Amino acid sequence: MSADLSPIFFAHANGFPSTSYQPFLTQLQPYQVFYEDVLSPGTERIERSWLEVVPQLIDSIERQADQAVVGVGHSFGTVILLRAAQQRPDLFKQLIIMEPPLLPLSFRIVIGLLRGLGLAERLIPIAKQAHNRKDHFDSHAEAREYWGQKKFFQSFDPACFEAYVQNGLVPAPQGGYTLKIPKVKEANIFSLTPSRYGNTALELPAHYIYATEGNTLPPANRLSQEKKFPDFQFYEWNGGHMFPLESPQEAATLIKSLIIK
């Protein structure tokens, strides 16, 4: 890595270990890339808020990087990076967030109500889907065939899909393989998707990349989100929420074009 290039610290989406982004992360060269493979590892529940993961991310940056980093996050990881950069701006040179889960107001109201009633993990659709995931495979080949039939994965870049097959599983105690990020943890994290974001002020350059397809930031909501994130420059991506894993080379090229030298 050139001495004049700040290292990148990457934070992954829920359910996808950082190593499953390897084709995308490799394309970020010549920048050195640090990450925590799994944010909030294990099966221990996050009790109240994604903010409980922030100390782990701060500790990881302090251990791995000897200078301020460019924070690059996807979905769940964007929120953790944002709060870390607010708490410890000295650790960051810049922040680039891809598809933070900023759902429409109606969704956020429902999430807030369900969480208050203790029903979030059972009734929020994306958390319910995580609970129902198949989580045991006899082999990587079985997982490859099973996931390859799912519509969600069919738009993935082949190298990213294979990286998920290889890095999304760990040996299971009973034999075979299970999900590296257990489905109970994935559902728990989805159930705590923020219903409001509050303060988003930053003391460093910040960029927000949103996808044109899907419900994360519908076009009608863009102006309101720009008001909520006044310190961010907004960039449009023609594609879906999982675009770093669908178009890794193009996504990495965009990220590198936004990094302030």
Side-chain angles (χ1 to χ4, degrees):
M1 183 187 76
S2 173
D4 60 349
L5 296 180
S6 298
I8 290 172
F9 188 92
F10 175 73
H12 64 82
N14 185 25
F16 289 85
S18 293
T19 44
S20 63
Y21 290 81
Q22 204 58 53
F24 163 70
L25 299 178
T26 299
Q27 292 291 332
L28 292 172
Q29 295 177 355
Y31 292 90
Q32 185 175 13
V33 180
F34 299 114
Y35 54 79
E36 198 70 27
D37 191 28
V38 177
L39 294 169
S40 185
T43 58
E44 185 176 344
R45 293 174 57 84
I46 298 174
E47 293 298 332
R48 299 180 59 84
S49 166
W50 290 1
L51 296 182
E52 294 168 37
V53 186
V54 173
Q56 179 201 3
L57 186 143
I58 290 174
D59 177 70
S60 186
I61 294 175
E62 290 180 323
R63 284 187 289 103
Q64 297 188 71
D66 60 4
Q67 59 180 301
V69 302
V70 177
V72 176
H74 181 213
S75 195
F76 164 67
T78 68
V79 179
I80 313 306
L81 277 172
L82 170 62
R83 298 313 187 198
Q86 289 177 316
Q87 292 183 24
R88 290 291 306 276
D90 58 300
L91 296 178
F92 294 85
K93 176 184 177 182
Q94 183 180 354
L95 195 64
I96 302 174
I97 58 176
M98 302 179 286
E99 280 286 278
L102 300 172
L103 303 174
L105 178 60
S106 58
F107 282 45
R108 289 186 276 121
I109 291 173
V110 170
I111 286 174
L113 289 173
L114 291 175
R115 190 175 298 144
L117 295 170
L119 300 173
E121 289 188 39
R122 284 187 285 166
L123 295 182
I124 292 175
I126 195 168
K128 185 177 180 180
Q129 290 169 10
H131 260 306
N132 293 333
R133 289 189 68 184
K134 178 178 173 63
D135 65 347
H136 185 270
F137 300 92
D138 291 334
S139 65
H140 288 88
E142 182 191 357
R144 185 182 298 109
E145 180 179 1
Y146 178 81
W147 286 331
Q149 297 173 5
K150 300 293 183 181
K151 182 179 179 181
F152 178 82
F153 289 103
Q154 289 175 358
S155 58
F156 274 38
D157 175 86
C160 289
F161 177 68
E162 184 60 25
Y164 179 65
V165 170
Q166 295 299 327
N167 297 290
L169 297 169
V170 292
Q174 69 273 36
Y177 296 87
T178 191
L179 298 172
K180 181 183 286 185
I181 299 176
K183 65 180 184 180
V184 293
K185 172 55 74 69
E186 185 178 355
N188 166 233
I189 290 173
F190 278 135
S191 74
L192 293 172
T193 300
S195 56
R196 56 182 182 272
Y197 280 75
N199 177 31
T200 63
L202 281 175
E203 302 176 13
L204 58 140
H207 305 266
Y208 182 130
I209 305 171
Y210 68 96
T212 57
E213 299 175 11
N215 296 320
T216 308
L217 181 55
N221 292 354
R222 177 177 167 177
L223 288 179
S224 65
Q225 296 301 348
E226 288 183 348
K227 292 178 181 178
K228 291 179 182 178
F229 288 75
D231 297 327
F232 286 73
Q233 296 183 46
F234 277 62
Y235 293 85
E236 181 179 277
W237 178 275
N238 291 318
H241 179 68
M242 300 301 293
F243 72 85
L245 296 172
E246 296 171 343
S247 303
Q249 182 174 354
E250 294 84 355
T253 297
L254 174 58
I255 294 295
K256 290 191 287 187
S257 74
L258 297 179
I259 294 177
I260 298 171
K261 303 295 191 293

